[in-house]
Amino acid sequence: MINIAVLGYGTIGSGVVEVLNTNGESIRKRAGAKINIKYVLDIREFPGDPISEILVHDVNIILNDPQVKIVVEVMGGINPAYSFVKEALLKGKSVVTSNKELVAKHGAELLDIAKTRNLNFLFEASVGGGIPIIRPLNQSLTADEIVEITGILNGTTNYMLTKMSEEGIGFNEALEDAQALGYAERDPSADVDGHDACRKIAILSSLAYGMQVDFEDIYTEGIANITDVDILYAKALDARIKLFASSIREDDENVYAMVAPMMIRANHPLYSVNDVFNGIYVRGNVIGDVMFYGSGAGKLPTASAVVADVVDAAKHLNKNIWTIWSSKKLDLINIDLVKHRFLIRVNKKKEILDDIKALFGEVEELTEVVKDEFAFITPLITEREMKDKKERIPGLIGSIRIRF
Ligand code: HSE
């Protein structure tokens, strides 16, 4: 029997207990031993819930119990999760977490502590909910140099964009639905402003390139400015709007990463990733294209990934599973140098076409989608050029990057 403790009895923590209760027997076979939850830590009481019998409020009971071999941290946030996790590792316990903020900020340090003590720090659930992506990057795609990772990594915003497009509901209603379904972060701006996807692409990039990619360095735009009019344009272009998190390695020295809404067409592999689903497209220099798809958020999919890590930790007690993520910082190239095409909307008629052509050269004109608006698609230009030219576009209403 292997004793574990679960820190946090919220959505994911209760999911972990449920998964271990539902699939206990098959999990025992796979782990080679029964996984026994010895403690659940939470500041709250849960009267009537069977976990009350193992509920503790003081983390030291768990940290000082040598029988606890694996600690599952599903509290979220940096404090106090970071100190609890670090202390657990220092006391010889492996740690499994779903906490992307913690992994993005302190992953390299915590992996290093685990490595030097023959323990494991595992975080499959921190990216892509239930989708296996961390383990494939660490253990399956090891023959490749990864040259691109592009993902729809936030279930909440993908759910919102899908509902806005398919059901015509507004931004706020879509967000309320996502919150009711348990997909959204406690602070929903983490989802809608792109910070959650930013941390996730930082984690994947650090693992893929073996160096620390700081999330603070990643250019990040969310979906807060996307309106029903943008959706109309997407439909007129046979396209969809997706919040993309991308990390692209142009050569050994040059990697850029960004999070931003993107218009894509059916020929893009992520076009059909709708609703709360996440999709992650990985390109390796020898394998070519690989896709990962599944539920990106929610109680049981995320708990499934957490418990799978518990099984892995149980199978590797006292043996570190090697990862190449080092604390050496990877300097990303300036986003100003990255090129995109942009769909631009102006509140003037075509009379300004000459001004537009003077700014951008030949553009692709759209037939009228919205009355009294003119819209066009630029050639491939750098982010810097777009920033500089934006101020000179007459009657600018909005713009969005397109990848087709
Ligand atoms: N709020 C996150 C999402 C939860 O919507 O993807 C899973 O990390």
Side-chain angles (χ1 to χ4, degrees), residues 100 153-156 183-185 191 196 200 296-297:
K100 54 250 162 167
L153 296 179
N154 183 265
T156 300
Y183 304 152
E185 298 299 302
D191 296 300
D196 178 75
K200 290 169 176 169

Side-chain angles (χ1 to χ4, degrees), residues 295-325:
S295 292
K299 175 175 168 169
L300 292 179
T302 310
S304 160
V306 170
V307 174
D309 272 351
V310 171
V311 170
D312 218 7
K315 283 159 67 177
H316 293 91
L317 284 181
N318 309 315
K319 178 158 179 28
N320 179 254
I321 304 166
W322 189 262
T323 56
I324 59 163
W325 180 351

Side-chain angles (χ1 to χ4, degrees), residues 365-383:
E365 299 166 45
L366 268 66
T367 46
E368 191 175 75
V369 174
V370 173
K371 198 168 172 306
D372 293 333
E373 275 193 26
F374 172 55
F376 61 93
I377 295 173
T378 69
L380 207 55
I381 54 171
T382 63
E383 293 279 334

Side-chain angles (χ1 to χ4, degrees), residues 93-213:
K93 302 172 195 313
S94 283
V95 173
V96 169
T97 183
S98 59
N99 187 336
K100 54 250 162 167
E101 285 170 276
L102 176 72
V103 178
K105 195 163 178 60
H106 297 290
E109 182 200 1
L110 297 169
L111 279 168
D112 198 50
I113 298 175
K115 205 174 279 179
T116 53
R117 284 169 171 72
N118 273 330
L119 301 166
N120 284 294
F121 175 62
L122 303 176
F123 43 89
E124 183 60 72
S126 65
V127 181
I131 308 171
I133 180 62
I134 303 291
R135 196 165 288 105
L137 279 177
N138 264 338
Q139 293 176 39
S140 312
L141 298 173
T142 47
D144 273 74
E145 294 286 344
I146 304 299
V147 289
E148 175 172 352
I149 303 173
T150 291
I152 294 172
L153 296 179
N154 183 265
T156 300
T157 45
N158 205 37
Y159 174 87
M160 291 171 67
L161 289 169
T162 305
K163 294 291 157 191
M164 285 164 73
S165 173
E166 287 179 359
E167 294 172 21
I169 64 173
F171 186 94
N172 289 333
E173 195 185 336
L175 176 58
E176 278 163 23
D177 285 358
Q179 285 171 314
L181 289 163
Y183 304 152
E185 298 299 302
R186 236 171 299 173
D187 171 6
S189 75
D191 296 300
V192 299
D193 294 335
H195 305 308
D196 178 75
C198 168
R199 282 165 177 80
K200 290 169 176 169
I201 194 68
I203 294 170
L204 296 184
S205 306
S206 300
L207 279 173
Y209 310 130
M211 290 169 79
Q212 174 68 25
V213 174

